Amino acid sequence: QALLQESGGGSVQPGGSLRVSCSASGDTISRTTIGWFRQSPAKDREGVAAIGIRGGNPYYADSVKGRFTLSLNTAANAVFLDMNDLKPEDTAMYYCAASRDWLSIGTWSNQDKYNSWGQGTQVTVSS
């Protein structure tokens, strides 16, 4: 099973930027797709973005398209989520997750497809 560790969360004003990182270790076979999810007290956990570790274009939730960018550093076993033009509604705990499956545009945001989860990192956007 993959072991995942998030880092890089924090507090920022609206319009600001943050980068959150996910470091992966352990069983490489069990992390074919890496996804980012977020959860706030007022909402259910939702998919933010995902990427296949063997390549391909990332997937994004409509709410973050054009503002968030997902990138992969395979040499460092790390996935980065660059978040720009942050809004108060982006405030949430952000979780990194790994799936054994190659997920498609129709399945990447299905939490049940992910078998490993990190502990989360808090992102707060407020003035």
Side-chain angles (χ1 to χ4, degrees):
Q1 190 172 8
L3 300 175
L4 305 172
Q5 179 66 56
E6 303 93 339
S7 61
S11 296
V12 66
Q13 292 186 340
S17 299
L18 277 176
R19 165 178 271 198
V20 289
S21 303
C22 175
S23 296
S25 60
D27 183 6
T28 58
I29 295 176
S30 66
R31 40 188 171 98
T32 300
T33 300
I34 301 292
W36 280 97
F37 291 78
R38 66 185 182 186
Q39 185 168 22
S40 63
K43 294 182 181 180
D44 293 332
R45 189 160 57 183
E46 61 177 355
V48 176
I51 189 168
I53 65 169
R54 297 187 182 90
N57 293 324
Y59 304 119
Y60 297 99
D62 288 342
S63 59
V64 306
K65 278 181 184 175
R67 300 189 298 121
F68 290 13
T69 302
L70 190 59
S71 59
L72 183 67
N73 185 328
T74 53
N77 289 320
V79 176
F80 306 105
L81 184 66
D82 290 297
M83 304 180 291
N84 298 310
D85 190 23
L86 283 161
K87 304 176 181 182
E89 51 264 41
D90 294 318
T91 295
M93 185 72 80
Y94 282 70
Y95 297 93
C96 174
S99 172
R100 295 186 181 93
D101 300 325
W102 182 268
L103 301 180
S104 69
I105 191 169
T107 58
W108 72 267
S109 60
N110 183 345
Q111 301 173 46
D112 293 338
K113 297 291 186 181
Y114 294 83
N115 53 285
S116 299
W117 292 81
Q119 296 297 309
T121 185
Q122 179 67 36
V123 172
T124 302
V125 185
S126 71
S127 54

